[in-house]
Amino acid sequence: MRYTFLLYSDPADFAHMGPEDWAEMKAVYGKYIGALQEAGIFVDTDWLHPADTATTLSLKGGEKVVQDGPVAETRETLGGYFVIDVDDLDAALAWAEKCPAVYYGKVEIRASA
């Protein structure tokens, strides 16, 4: 079964980071990706541009509304995702617990329909 990890964090927590900090973070995620690949469960991942670059579309009520930015005003924003293929939620939780994002934000886990 496929599970998607949605990675949420507060962008303000990264404002102080320089190029060396980003390189270190990418290395940590690289190790996590390697572990997922070695386990044979890796499907996909990507970093997302900041939430303030988003465009939100709605056709609710038959009216097209295009809005700059995210729908919700929150400090924590969606910054990236992982898709894995494991047997069950317990296995997904075990891998989510190893995701670097849990140390500075939250990982939302959703099963594919």
Side-chain angles (χ1 to χ4, degrees), residues 1-109:
M1 176 171 244
R2 286 190 177 192
Y3 288 89
T4 300
F5 298 170
L6 302 171
L7 313 180
Y8 291 92
S9 59
D10 184 344
D13 291 343
F14 304 103
H16 69 283
M17 291 178 60
E20 290 176 4
D21 299 313
W22 285 108
E24 184 178 327
M25 180 175 278
K26 287 181 181 180
V28 168
Y29 274 94
K31 288 179 184 177
Y32 181 64
I33 292 166
L36 294 169
Q37 290 171 329
E38 188 175 314
I41 62 171
F42 178 81
V43 176
D44 193 19
T45 189
D46 211 346
W47 297 87
L48 301 175
H49 285 272
D52 62 358
T53 67
T55 301
T56 303
L57 171 69
S58 174
L59 294 173
K60 189 173 181 178
E63 180 183 348
K64 179 178 176 180
V65 178
V66 178
Q67 170 187 329
D68 289 336
V71 173
E73 292 293 326
T74 70
R75 286 188 314 184
E76 290 181 334
T77 61
L78 179 63
Y81 67 89
F82 282 92
V83 180
I84 63 170
D85 193 349
V86 293
D87 291 336
D88 54 32
L89 179 59
D90 289 335
L93 283 166
W95 280 101
E97 191 173 322
K98 297 174 186 177
C99 182
V102 300
Y103 296 101
Y104 58 81
K106 296 178 182 148
V107 176
E108 180 180 329
I109 302 159

